[in-house]
Short mmCIF file of all heavy atoms in Angstrom, two decimals:
data_model
loop_
_atom_site.label_atom_id
_atom_site.label_comp_id
_atom_site.label_asym_id
_atom_site.label_seq_id
_atom_site.Cartn_x
_atom_site.Cartn_y
_atom_site.Cartn_z
N LYS A 762 0.84 -1.20 0.00
CA LYS A 762 0.00 0.00 0.00
C LYS A 762 0.87 1.25 0.00
O LYS A 762 2.07 1.19 0.26
CB LYS A 762 -0.92 0.01 1.22
CG LYS A 762 -1.86 -1.19 1.32
CD LYS A 762 -3.00 -1.07 0.35
CE LYS A 762 -3.94 -2.27 0.39
NZ LYS A 762 -4.99 -2.21 1.34
N LYS A 763 0.25 2.38 -0.25
CA LYS A 763 0.94 3.66 -0.32
C LYS A 763 1.73 3.93 0.96
O LYS A 763 1.28 3.62 2.05
CB LYS A 763 -0.08 4.78 -0.54
CG LYS A 763 0.52 6.12 -0.78
CD LYS A 763 -0.54 7.15 -1.09
CE LYS A 763 0.13 8.47 -1.39
NZ LYS A 763 -0.80 9.46 -1.87
N ASN A 764 2.92 4.48 0.78
CA ASN A 764 3.81 4.84 1.89
C ASN A 764 4.26 3.64 2.73
O ASN A 764 4.68 3.81 3.87
CB ASN A 764 3.17 5.89 2.81
CG ASN A 764 2.92 7.18 2.07
OD1 ASN A 764 3.73 7.60 1.25
ND2 ASN A 764 1.79 7.80 2.36
N SER A 765 4.17 2.45 2.19
CA SER A 765 4.70 1.28 2.90
C SER A 765 6.18 1.13 2.54
O SER A 765 6.65 1.67 1.54
CB SER A 765 3.92 0.01 2.53
OG SER A 765 4.03 -0.27 1.15
N THR A 766 6.89 0.38 3.38
CA THR A 766 8.31 0.10 3.14
C THR A 766 8.51 -1.41 3.15
O THR A 766 8.08 -2.07 4.09
CB THR A 766 9.19 0.76 4.21
OG1 THR A 766 8.98 2.18 4.18
CG2 THR A 766 10.66 0.47 3.98
N VAL A 767 9.16 -1.91 2.13
CA VAL A 767 9.43 -3.35 2.02
C VAL A 767 10.91 -3.52 1.72
O VAL A 767 11.43 -2.95 0.76
CB VAL A 767 8.59 -4.00 0.90
CG1 VAL A 767 8.90 -5.48 0.79
CG2 VAL A 767 7.10 -3.77 1.14
N ILE A 768 11.60 -4.30 2.57
CA ILE A 768 13.01 -4.59 2.38
C ILE A 768 13.16 -6.11 2.35
O ILE A 768 12.88 -6.77 3.35
CB ILE A 768 13.86 -3.97 3.51
CG1 ILE A 768 13.67 -2.46 3.54
CG2 ILE A 768 15.33 -4.34 3.33
CD1 ILE A 768 14.24 -1.79 4.77
N LEU A 769 13.58 -6.63 1.21
CA LEU A 769 13.74 -8.07 1.05
C LEU A 769 15.20 -8.39 0.77
O LEU A 769 15.78 -7.85 -0.17
CB LEU A 769 12.87 -8.60 -0.09
CG LEU A 769 11.36 -8.34 0.00
CD1 LEU A 769 10.66 -8.91 -1.23
CD2 LEU A 769 10.78 -8.93 1.26
N GLY A 770 15.79 -9.28 1.57
CA GLY A 770 17.15 -9.75 1.32
C GLY A 770 17.18 -10.64 0.10
O GLY A 770 16.16 -10.86 -0.56
N LYS A 771 18.34 -11.21 -0.19
CA LYS A 771 18.44 -12.03 -1.40
C LYS A 771 18.10 -13.49 -1.10
O LYS A 771 18.18 -13.95 0.03
CB LYS A 771 19.82 -11.91 -2.04
CG LYS A 771 20.96 -12.32 -1.17
CD LYS A 771 22.27 -12.06 -1.90
CE LYS A 771 23.42 -12.29 -0.94
NZ LYS A 771 24.69 -12.03 -1.55
N ASN A 772 17.71 -14.17 -2.15
CA ASN A 772 17.40 -15.59 -2.12
C ASN A 772 16.27 -15.95 -1.15
O ASN A 772 16.34 -16.92 -0.42
CB ASN A 772 18.64 -16.43 -1.80
CG ASN A 772 19.68 -16.31 -2.89
OD1 ASN A 772 19.35 -16.23 -4.07
ND2 ASN A 772 20.93 -16.28 -2.50
N ILE A 773 15.20 -15.16 -1.17
CA ILE A 773 14.00 -15.51 -0.42
C ILE A 773 13.21 -16.47 -1.29
O ILE A 773 12.99 -16.22 -2.48
CB ILE A 773 13.18 -14.26 -0.08
CG1 ILE A 773 14.00 -13.36 0.86
CG2 ILE A 773 11.85 -14.64 0.56
CD1 ILE A 773 13.36 -12.03 1.15
N VAL A 774 12.78 -17.58 -0.70
CA VAL A 774 12.07 -18.61 -1.44
C VAL A 774 10.69 -18.80 -0.82
O VAL A 774 10.54 -18.88 0.40
CB VAL A 774 12.83 -19.96 -1.38
CG1 VAL A 774 12.06 -21.05 -2.08
CG2 VAL A 774 14.22 -19.81 -1.98
N SER A 775 9.67 -18.88 -1.68
CA SER A 775 8.33 -19.26 -1.22
C SER A 775 7.84 -20.39 -2.11
O SER A 775 8.05 -20.39 -3.32
CB SER A 775 7.37 -18.07 -1.28
OG SER A 775 7.08 -17.71 -2.61
N ASP A 776 7.22 -21.36 -1.48
CA ASP A 776 6.62 -22.47 -2.22
C ASP A 776 5.11 -22.29 -2.22
O ASP A 776 4.52 -22.00 -1.18
CB ASP A 776 6.95 -23.81 -1.56
CG ASP A 776 8.33 -24.32 -1.93
OD1 ASP A 776 8.89 -23.84 -2.93
OD2 ASP A 776 8.86 -25.19 -1.23
N GLY A 777 4.51 -22.50 -3.36
CA GLY A 777 3.06 -22.47 -3.42
C GLY A 777 2.48 -21.11 -3.13
O GLY A 777 3.08 -20.08 -3.38
N ARG A 778 1.31 -21.12 -2.54
CA ARG A 778 0.55 -19.89 -2.27
C ARG A 778 1.04 -19.24 -0.99
O ARG A 778 0.92 -19.80 0.09
CB ARG A 778 -0.93 -20.24 -2.14
CG ARG A 778 -1.79 -19.09 -1.78
CD ARG A 778 -2.49 -18.56 -3.00
NE ARG A 778 -3.44 -17.55 -2.59
CZ ARG A 778 -3.44 -16.33 -3.09
NH1 ARG A 778 -2.55 -16.00 -3.99
NH2 ARG A 778 -4.32 -15.46 -2.71
N CYS A 779 1.60 -18.06 -1.09
CA CYS A 779 2.00 -17.24 0.06
C CYS A 779 1.44 -15.85 -0.16
O CYS A 779 1.31 -15.40 -1.29
CB CYS A 779 3.52 -17.17 0.19
SG CYS A 779 4.28 -18.74 0.58
N VAL A 780 1.12 -15.17 0.94
CA VAL A 780 0.55 -13.83 0.86
C VAL A 780 1.36 -12.90 1.74
O VAL A 780 1.64 -13.22 2.90
CB VAL A 780 -0.93 -13.83 1.31
CG1 VAL A 780 -1.50 -12.42 1.30
CG2 VAL A 780 -1.76 -14.76 0.47
N MET A 781 1.75 -11.74 1.20
CA MET A 781 2.42 -10.69 1.97
C MET A 781 1.68 -9.39 1.72
O MET A 781 1.63 -8.91 0.58
CB MET A 781 3.87 -10.53 1.52
CG MET A 781 4.76 -11.68 1.88
SD MET A 781 6.45 -11.30 1.36
CE MET A 781 6.88 -12.85 0.57
N ILE A 782 1.09 -8.84 2.79
CA ILE A 782 0.34 -7.59 2.69
C ILE A 782 1.03 -6.57 3.59
O ILE A 782 1.19 -6.81 4.79
CB ILE A 782 -1.12 -7.77 3.14
CG1 ILE A 782 -1.81 -8.82 2.27
CG2 ILE A 782 -1.86 -6.43 3.08
CD1 ILE A 782 -3.16 -9.26 2.80
N VAL A 783 1.44 -5.45 3.01
CA VAL A 783 2.05 -4.37 3.77
C VAL A 783 1.16 -3.15 3.61
O VAL A 783 1.07 -2.57 2.52
CB VAL A 783 3.49 -4.08 3.31
CG1 VAL A 783 4.13 -3.06 4.24
CG2 VAL A 783 4.32 -5.36 3.27
N ASP A 784 0.46 -2.81 4.69
CA ASP A 784 -0.53 -1.74 4.64
C ASP A 784 0.13 -0.37 4.64
O ASP A 784 1.34 -0.25 4.85
CB ASP A 784 -1.47 -1.87 5.85
CG ASP A 784 -2.89 -1.47 5.52
OD1 ASP A 784 -3.11 -0.84 4.47
OD2 ASP A 784 -3.79 -1.78 6.32
N GLU A 785 -0.67 0.65 4.45
CA GLU A 785 -0.17 2.03 4.42
C GLU A 785 0.62 2.35 5.68
O GLU A 785 0.14 2.13 6.79
CB GLU A 785 -1.33 3.01 4.27
CG GLU A 785 -0.89 4.42 4.03
CD GLU A 785 -2.03 5.34 3.63
OE1 GLU A 785 -3.08 4.84 3.21
OE2 GLU A 785 -1.84 6.55 3.74
N GLY A 786 1.86 2.78 5.49
CA GLY A 786 2.73 3.12 6.61
C GLY A 786 3.42 1.92 7.25
O GLY A 786 4.23 2.08 8.15
N GLY A 787 3.12 0.70 6.80
CA GLY A 787 3.73 -0.51 7.35
C GLY A 787 5.17 -0.68 6.87
O GLY A 787 5.57 -0.13 5.84
N ARG A 788 5.94 -1.47 7.63
CA ARG A 788 7.34 -1.74 7.28
C ARG A 788 7.61 -3.23 7.44
O ARG A 788 7.54 -3.76 8.55
CB ARG A 788 8.27 -0.93 8.17
CG ARG A 788 9.74 -1.14 7.86
CD ARG A 788 10.62 -0.28 8.76
NE ARG A 788 12.03 -0.47 8.46
CZ ARG A 788 12.71 0.24 7.57
NH1 ARG A 788 12.12 1.19 6.87
NH2 ARG A 788 13.99 0.00 7.36
N LEU A 789 7.93 -3.90 6.34
CA LEU A 789 8.25 -5.33 6.33
C LEU A 789 9.70 -5.49 5.94
O LEU A 789 10.13 -5.01 4.88
CB LEU A 789 7.36 -6.08 5.34
CG LEU A 789 7.68 -7.56 5.13
CD1 LEU A 789 7.50 -8.34 6.43
CD2 LEU A 789 6.81 -8.14 4.02
N GLU A 790 10.49 -6.17 6.81
CA GLU A 790 11.89 -6.44 6.54
C GLU A 790 12.11 -7.95 6.62
O GLU A 790 11.84 -8.55 7.66
CB GLU A 790 12.78 -5.76 7.59
CG GLU A 790 12.55 -4.29 7.75
CD GLU A 790 13.16 -3.74 9.03
OE1 GLU A 790 14.13 -4.34 9.55
OE2 GLU A 790 12.65 -2.72 9.51
N ILE A 791 12.57 -8.54 5.53
CA ILE A 791 12.85 -9.98 5.52
C ILE A 791 14.31 -10.15 5.10
O ILE A 791 14.73 -9.67 4.04
CB ILE A 791 11.92 -10.75 4.55
CG1 ILE A 791 10.46 -10.53 4.94
CG2 ILE A 791 12.28 -12.23 4.54
CD1 ILE A 791 9.46 -11.21 4.02
N GLY A 792 15.08 -10.84 5.94
CA GLY A 792 16.49 -11.06 5.67
C GLY A 792 16.73 -12.05 4.55
O GLY A 792 15.80 -12.69 4.03
N SER A 793 17.97 -12.23 4.18
CA SER A 793 18.36 -13.16 3.11
C SER A 793 18.12 -14.61 3.52
O SER A 793 18.12 -14.95 4.69
CB SER A 793 19.83 -12.95 2.77
OG SER A 793 20.05 -11.67 2.26
#
């Protein structure tokens, strides 16, 4: 969503159906 921050490290793997929702003003950080 608007004004959200998403930081994804390298080599993130997801199998099948996965959902990531980052709402307005939210901050999601996922390491490598």
Side-chain angles (χ1 to χ4, degrees):
K762 301 284 178 87
K763 186 176 183 172
N764 297 322
S765 62
T766 300
V767 179
I768 301 169
L769 303 179
K771 60 183 172 181
N772 295 323
I773 296 173
V774 177
S775 69
D776 279 342
R778 177 101 173 125
C779 294
V780 177
M781 291 183 226
I782 301 169
V783 186
D784 215 346
E785 188 169 342
R788 181 178 180 89
L789 174 63
E790 306 164 25
I791 302 178
S793 296

